[in-house]
Amino acid sequence: MSRPTPRARAAAFALGATLLAGLTGCEWPDVSMSPGLGAAAAETTEAAEPTDETAEETAAEEAAAEETATTHEVAVPTPVRPAGDLDAGSLTRALPAGDRTVVVDYWTTDQATTWTAAQDKTIQIAAHVEGGDDETEVLVTRFAATTDDGTARVLAAEDRGEFALMPPFSYTTALTLTEATPAATSLTVTVQFDLLVETEPGAQRYFRQTVLDTLELPLLQEDPS
């Protein structure tokens, strides 16, 4: 066998170097994870971060709302007070009694719009008769006043006797209404006049008539604090 010439050896050496350089510069592909799976995992991680932040913000808002509800009392609206019969200070009622009329005047020097259950309340009353025969005798034999606050009924005043009521006479009295039930929102005052009316002038024979009237007195609710 003949030995290779120097030119052949040089060519073989160059070819080997070229192949070695090509093999050395190549890289094997990364097959540890599919490119599609990696992208999906990245997107899932990025989407989870804002969800966690939103949950933290929601929890903080709920905690703040709970603290506000605990530290601040809920305002309770004040009940509206209805109008009362003595809000203007006085009142006149004309009550029928057969062919006559019993006219009753009520008045107070108190401020009726500020009355509460705990206060004493003073009411003046004056009654007289109009109509009929002026010569016929009319007598008041009993006057009574009761109060009802929805829980308790009390006889506030009673006057028994025989008092002339025909003109120019009148029956006048004063009521002092004492403390009512603390939770009461109104007071109903009922007045009663029992009359003896002569059957005819000078007969000295009488028939009885009873005249009733009521007053509605709203009460303010006191602040429990």
Side-chain angles (χ1 to χ4, degrees):
M1 181 181 293
S2 61
R3 299 181 61 184
T5 63
R7 178 175 295 180
R9 287 196 300 270
F13 179 79
L15 179 60
T18 300
L19 292 175
L20 179 61
L23 293 175
T24 304
C26 291
E27 296 182 359
W28 294 101
D30 186 2
V31 295
S32 62
M33 180 180 293
S34 170
L37 293 177
E43 291 177 0
T44 303
T45 303
E46 292 176 1
E49 292 179 355
T51 302
D52 293 341
E53 293 176 0
T54 302
E56 293 177 359
E57 292 175 358
T58 302
E61 291 174 357
E62 291 177 352
E66 183 177 354
E67 182 179 357
T68 301
T70 303
T71 56
H72 296 279
E73 296 182 355
V74 177
V76 178
T78 303
V80 178
R81 177 190 178 277
D85 286 333
L86 287 179
D87 284 1
S90 62
L91 175 69
T92 298
R93 293 269 177 79
L95 311 174
D99 60 351
R100 296 171 176 79
T101 300
V102 177
V103 179
V104 186
D105 294 311
Y106 304 92
W107 71 95
T108 181
T109 57
D110 299 339
Q111 188 65 42
T113 56
T114 64
W115 275 339
T116 64
Q119 286 179 300
D120 287 349
K121 308 153 193 68
T122 302
I123 300 174
Q124 304 286 334
I125 299 177
H128 67 275
V129 170
E130 295 181 357
D133 186 352
D134 291 344
E135 295 181 2
T136 300
E137 189 175 49
V138 180
L139 306 175
V140 178
T141 59
R142 179 175 181 262
F143 168 79
T146 59
T147 61
D148 188 345
D149 61 14
T151 300
R153 185 176 175 86
V154 178
L155 179 63
E158 184 176 29
D159 187 9
R160 293 180 177 271
E162 290 188 359
F163 307 98
L165 197 59
M166 60 282 195
F169 305 107
S170 63
Y171 178 83
T172 303
T173 189
L175 300 178
T176 298
L177 311 179
T178 57
E179 182 178 1
T181 304
T185 59
S186 65
L187 196 64
T188 300
V189 182
T190 302
V191 297
Q192 175 177 333
F193 295 90
D194 287 341
L195 307 180
L196 285 181
V197 182
E198 198 173 27
T199 56
E200 59 183 33
Q204 297 296 301
R205 298 179 65 183
Y206 300 87
F207 63 90
R208 182 178 297 279
Q209 286 183 325
T210 297
V211 177
L212 297 173
D213 194 23
T214 59
L215 296 176
E216 294 296 336
L217 309 177
L219 303 175
L220 290 178
Q221 297 298 292
E222 296 183 284
D223 188 350
S225 61

